[in-house]
Amino acid sequence: MGRDDGPRVRVPEQRAPERRPVDGTDLYFSVLGPVRARRNGETLPSGSPQQRALLTALLLRGGHTATASELIDAIWGDEPPSQALAAVRTYASRLRKILGPQTLASDSGGYAMRTGPDALDVTVAEELAAGADKARTAGDRGRARALLNKALALWDGEALASVPGPYAENQRTRLEEWRLQLTETRLDLDLEVGCHAEAVSELTALTAAHPLRERLRELLMVALYRSGRQAEALAVYADTRRLLAEELGVDPRPELAQLQQRILQADEELARPADDPTPAAAPVRPAQLPATVPDFTGRASFVRELGDRIATAEGSVMAVSALAGIGGVGKTTLAVHVAHQARKHFPDGQLYVDLQGAGSRAAEPETVLGAFLRALGTADSAIPESLDERAALYRSTLDGRRILILLDNAHDAAQIRPLLPGTTGCAALVTSRVRMVDLAGAHLVDLDVMSPEEALQLFTRIVGEERINSERKAALDVVAACGFLPLAIRIAASRLASRRTWTVSVLAAKLADERRRLDELQAGDLAVKATFELGYGQLEPAQARAFRLLGLADGPDISLAAAAALLNLEAHAAEDLLEALVDTSLVESAAPGRYRYHDLVRLYARSCAERDEQPPVERELALSRLLDFYLATAAGVYALERPGDRTVNHLERTEHPGLSFTDHGRALDWLYAEANPLLACVRQSITATTIRRAVDLLLASKDLAESGANSRQFESVATIVRDAATVTGDARSEARARTTLAQVHSTAGRFDQAEDEARQAMVLASSIDDIWTHCNAPNELGIIAGYRNRLDEAEVLLQQTITAFRADTNQAGEASALCNLSRVHLAIGRTASAVELAGQGIDLYARLGLTLRLANGRYALGLALTRAGRQNEAEGRLSEALTVFRESRQRLWEGMTLFRLAEVHLAAQRPARAAAFSEQALTVLLHIGGEWRRANVLTVLGQALDGIGQADRASVCWREALAVFDQLKAPESDIVRGLLAPTVSPQRR
């Protein structure tokens, strides 16, 4: 095993601002790195190493005078030159000319620095550390961490770098020890606030650099344990015990042994970060209830019944009450009112969520659990991926707390079961359109419409007694026309209240007109539609058209630009209409420039479109314009990110334009912000006349699949499009959808499914004239064959791909295929050819001005250079690629590049740095890339850990990787079994 040059421990990125002295000078000195003096930000000359040693000795004396003999000892120690005194005077004279006589003063035969308290980075760091200590004592861990990060950011490499002399050496040792102490304190705080997963990488590197420092080992064990890696945590203890015995002949300190026992016993207290009582921990006590309406009316018996039921949560049962009723009957208003009255019984907080059960796509329980866990103080890194794990953690987090959960607008019992607390002391209120008869133990409440007296009382409170007293009969007619539905009454009363020139009789007359209502306020949803008829009937024709057509779009919300495209209007005209609809409460403004419908209003808008939109084809044309907008804009983003890629030339033509961007960042911002509406548009456009544009929109927005942020939703929509294309018999669309799905499955490590889709795409390609499929289907199948170690087949397919791309004059595609072929040649053992092929790909990418794809080329070249033994070059290419992937938000490629950098450092016999990069890769690839890629990272992490003497932890990583490879029947199983053989590790020989 070669000598490791140690990890480059990542100091937090936030740089502390340089603080200037308070004595009127503009000098700032740095010793936590190379010794420097700056004036107005410009570096001043500091002279020879011995002159810097004199400056160091003066700076670190805190303004006290140093005699000439003390300075001689500091610079030369016991062997000064014969002219040492003259040299000291010369150095001091030169420094005085640079710094000024007021800064470097002569005093009693010696010298002293006269600077302000903030003119030296060490002093600034000491102040920051002291402030962090005070903040931590006061319980403000967030501020303490921020201050420590600022203090550590002041270091710029080794303190007093290249400064000679015994004094500098002693100070260098002291400052390095202090830096480690600050780092340990900050890491301790990281663990206290739940950032354990993020801390593992840094702690792994630090324990490699300082193997005998037991405190670091202790922190690493806790971080691993809290990250769900119990076996690795125990392996760290085993490695530590063996190392201490071999190096020092001692056992680990008692604290470390006790920690091992707590981990063995699966100590639940150890698994939880420390409670944070500071104001920064306010999310731990959530207060999410919506505001109760000030004019809540009636429902006295229900308020009493539900209040009594909730109060039983203080006893021995968990209280669950479920309110059911038609839309608009006031379920949410009642539940929120009761919840506010019951707050005193739940001092630990209240959670609220709209489950969107009335719509076609209800909220996913795992998504809701993620939001609840964050509100309860759980760090993102500690939230597991699966529904069952999230539900279990949620119940554990609620254990011992008294929290009320309001689950509004539920779809069915299956949706809410994972969201219910599992212990006494908590209570849940559920609202839904359906009766939860299959919800065990729930107290069911059927909420009907208001009584006539309650309805009139609500109407009067909103409109005002003065206007109602004189027209009581008309008011009764109004509430009767509203079907005594609270939502309908509220909308009608609010409109009357905002129109002072109207009388109640005017409103009653409008409601009496059956043309303005739907079938005499029938039961069910039609009752709600009748309520909305009040607002819709008052709209100007252009407003009504906008209301009808915008409701056709399936997305959760819609941007102003997309709305303008759907309406075929200029943006300013569309905005005027939308804002008018917001004023009438028919549309909500979700955020500046974004609009959404309540689910019931959307249904009503669609019924209006079916009834009123003439000619009927206008509905199809509106959705077609929206699809054109998304496709044209996404194609522009694709072309901006991949100039020269002819994919955009093979997309369906659009009749209507989209947005155009010149800035890469803004283009990607648009794509990710529009992900949900865009994919909803694809899902909605699977008819025979639009499916080609729908599948092409998937091709143009493929970054959504590769980023990890929207991978699952992208896969779901692509599957729907594939199935629809199969049904309609559109072979071209089916082939493109299957090729896209092959890439999605391959990215997730599901190679069986990926290969099946790619092979079917190849079969379809033979029967259609589609250049895009002819190029991309063999490319995907070739990549998959390479992953599955069928290298001859992979080479044939990728050569076919290169030929197809060249025939299409698609140089970007050709470059991609060359890089893919490079990886195949690398696996075959043709390293020189692999380097050459990757270089050809990079040349093509560079010629086209590509940025993101050039990073892919550098990634491929980095792999080849690593195998060729040219590790320094490989590290350079991969580091360049990593920067681009991060800027482009390509999480998969960011994680894989970190993994490849780990391989580079392992090949260069730098195992500590390899371990650090592997840990970072595991963190990035946590929810993307699939188990196969994670197992590969674990394999390299195990090799790196074995190289730094942590053999037991390495074995844990390998066993975990082997379990994955065996399950997948992957050829890498044999490699890992070889690593686990006792003769492999130098530590076990």
Side-chain angles (χ1 to χ4, degrees), residues 411-439:
H411 179 69
D412 54 23
Q415 183 190 30
I416 67 170
R417 284 193 190 99
L419 310 179
L420 296 177
T423 58
T424 60
C426 294
L429 268 175
V430 183
T431 72
S432 177
R433 293 189 186 184
V434 298
R435 298 185 78 243
M436 298 287 178
V437 293
D438 52 346
L439 187 61

Side-chain angles (χ1 to χ4, degrees), residues 629-657:
F629 167 78
Y630 282 128
L631 177 55
T633 308
V637 174
Y638 187 100
L640 183 64
E641 289 295 298
R642 300 167 175 83
D645 189 328
R646 284 182 51 80
T647 290
V648 294
N649 297 88
H650 301 305
L651 302 179
E652 284 289 293
R653 299 300 176 189
T654 58
E655 296 182 9
H656 301 275

Side-chain angles (χ1 to χ4, degrees), residues 346-362:
F346 302 94
D348 295 322
Q350 306 85 39
L351 295 169
Y352 171 85
V353 64
D354 178 3
L355 294 170
Q356 304 176 32
S360 57
R361 282 172 293 281

Side-chain angles (χ1 to χ4, degrees), residues 336-348:
V336 170
H337 181 78
V338 170
H340 274 283
Q341 287 199 336
R343 287 184 63 183
K344 61 184 178 182
H345 298 294
F346 302 94
D348 295 322

Side-chain angles (χ1 to χ4, degrees), residues 221-236:
M221 289 173 67
V222 174
L224 288 167
Y225 179 63
R226 289 181 180 170
S227 299
R229 298 159 70 175
Q230 181 181 12
E232 283 189 68
L234 293 170
V236 170

Side-chain angles (χ1 to χ4, degrees), residues 284-286 343 345-350 376 400-404:
V284 175
R285 185 185 180 279
R343 287 184 63 183
H345 298 294
F346 302 94
D348 295 322
Q350 306 85 39
L376 291 166
R401 301 188 186 187
R402 297 189 50 74
I403 289 181
L404 175 64

Side-chain angles (χ1 to χ4, degrees), residues 849-869:
L850 289 159
T851 301
L852 175 58
R853 299 300 290 275
L854 182 59
N856 290 117
R858 288 169 175 160
Y859 174 90
L861 181 58
L863 267 62
L865 291 171
T866 302
R867 185 70 59 84

Side-chain angles (χ1 to χ4, degrees), residues 12-32:
E13 295 176 359
Q14 184 175 7
R15 298 292 300 178
E18 292 186 359
R19 300 164 66 186
R20 295 185 177 180
V22 297
D23 60 355
T25 68
D26 52 4
L27 286 169
Y28 183 82
F29 298 93
S30 303
V31 296
L32 299 176

